[in-house]
Amino acid sequence: MNNSHINFRKLGIAVLAPVAMLLIQDITFAAMSLAGISQIIPYSLVSYTVAILLFGYIYLFQGHLYMTDEYINKNRTGRTNRSFLCGFVVVILIIASGICLQLLSTGILNMIDRYHPELLEHYHDMVSHSFSLSNGSIRVFTVMFMAPIAEELVFRGISLGAARSAFSFKGADVIAVILSALCFGLAHGNAVQFCYAFPVGIILVLVTVWSSSLIPSILLHITINVSSYTMDYIPATWFSLSTIILSAIVAAVCITCIYLVIRRSHKKHKQPSSDKIS
């Protein structure tokens, strides 16, 4: 326990990275509104583009600022020669998981809306304003693809990496997982979204940790966002309790299988410690 400590600088980075992304969004919105071009170009497209460029650069080239050398070597330079079949299976499982998670969250929200619609009044206004297909193809594209990439770079890239290297004691990874997911949930800015963003954030963190890559979490995040636009075409009466339970079971099975496939792949293709990484 003598070696246990907390690096508060890296812990600060873990918390401030999401805050910085929110500031970029607010500053972009204010600047574009003053310039009178917010109606021509969605500010979300500009803010997420800036976030991807900025945080992508930090994640790819400035890891020494917020990670330990051991963490960088494990998650950046280490390569696993996974088979095409393994990668294909993981992709299919990720897509199935994303759809089931979206069905689960939509089903729960529909059940709440059916019995306590007053709880979701503000939420429906926010969804229709930000996530409707009528908002135009650019904004829809931003929500489907740009937002997941930017948010994964921030929350599962920089924030998670900083949090995991900030703690040096038993159970540190558990705290890092919860902290990253908590920041992800709080960043959505309302209680309703927090209730499903927090558990989804935990799943995204786990997928990232298991695979030592952001690509699976980005794909899962994109699948969730894309599938959200198809939920309006499913009758609300279809979302019964049995459908919600089934979606939860299938999602849990798929996520477990993702872990098992990745773990098997790591064991099968593990390189000897003396091998050089080309």
Side-chain angles (χ1 to χ4, degrees), residues 67-87:
M67 296 183 187
T68 61
D69 292 338
E70 180 183 358
Y71 185 89
I72 293 174
N73 291 333
K74 180 180 178 181
N75 293 275
R76 298 289 187 76
T77 58
R79 296 178 183 176
T80 304
N81 298 320
R82 298 168 188 160
S83 65
F84 172 80
L85 179 60
C86 172

Side-chain angles (χ1 to χ4, degrees), residues 3-43:
N3 294 325
S4 300
H5 68 278
I6 299 176
N7 188 319
F8 288 100
R9 182 179 69 86
K10 292 180 179 179
L11 181 60
I13 292 174
V15 175
L16 290 177
V19 174
M21 188 183 72
L22 296 177
L23 284 175
I24 289 175
Q25 293 176 342
D26 291 340
I27 293 171
T28 303
F29 175 74
M32 293 182 66
S33 297
L34 289 174
I37 59 174
S38 58
Q39 299 299 322
I40 302 174
I41 303 175
Y43 85 92

Side-chain angles (χ1 to χ4, degrees), residues 12-233:
I13 292 174
V15 175
L16 290 177
V19 174
M21 188 183 72
L22 296 177
L23 284 175
I24 289 175
Q25 293 176 342
D26 291 340
I27 293 171
T28 303
F29 175 74
M32 293 182 66
S33 297
L34 289 174
I37 59 174
S38 58
Q39 299 299 322
I40 302 174
I41 303 175
Y43 85 92
S44 56
L45 174 63
V46 177
S47 63
Y48 279 124
T49 300
V50 172
I52 290 172
L53 293 175
L54 175 61
F55 295 111
Y57 170 78
I58 295 173
Y59 177 75
L60 292 174
F61 303 109
Q62 301 296 322
H64 63 279
L65 296 177
Y66 59 94
M67 296 183 187
T68 61
D69 292 338
E70 180 183 358
Y71 185 89
I72 293 174
N73 291 333
K74 180 180 178 181
N75 293 275
R76 298 289 187 76
T77 58
R79 296 178 183 176
T80 304
N81 298 320
R82 298 168 188 160
S83 65
F84 172 80
L85 179 60
C86 172
F88 179 76
V89 170
V90 170
V91 168
I92 296 300
L93 289 171
I94 285 175
I95 293 174
S97 301
I99 294 173
C100 288
L101 288 171
Q102 186 57 247
L103 284 170
L104 175 61
S105 61
T106 303
I108 293 174
L109 290 174
N110 282 346
M111 293 286 285
I112 295 174
D113 197 32
R114 188 179 305 172
Y115 298 105
H116 298 283
E118 70 280 0
L119 298 177
L120 298 179
E121 194 171 325
H122 173 71
Y123 174 77
H124 287 313
D125 292 339
M126 184 272 297
V127 169
S128 62
H129 179 265
S130 302
F131 303 104
S132 173
L133 284 171
S134 61
N135 289 331
S137 58
I138 296 179
R139 289 190 66 177
V140 171
F141 173 81
T142 301
V143 172
M144 285 183 174
F145 300 103
M146 302 292 285
I149 294 173
E151 290 175 0
E152 291 310 304
L153 282 169
V154 172
F155 292 100
R156 261 62 66 179
I158 297 173
S159 183
L160 175 63
R164 292 183 73 187
S165 60
F167 303 109
S168 178
F169 49 82
K170 188 176 180 179
D173 272 358
V174 175
I175 295 177
V177 167
I178 295 175
L179 178 62
S180 177
L182 183 62
C183 290
F184 183 63
L186 291 174
H188 284 76
N190 61 82
V192 175
Q193 283 186 293
F194 176 86
C195 289
Y196 61 78
F198 176 69
V200 168
I202 291 178
I203 295 172
L204 289 168
V205 170
L206 292 177
V207 170
T208 302
V209 172
W210 294 339
S211 62
S212 298
S213 171
L214 283 183
I215 294 177
S217 66
I218 290 175
L219 177 59
L220 178 56
H221 200 153
I222 288 175
T223 302
I224 293 172
N225 283 21
V226 170
S227 60
S228 68
Y229 284 96
T230 67
M231 295 297 108
D232 289 339
Y233 299 99

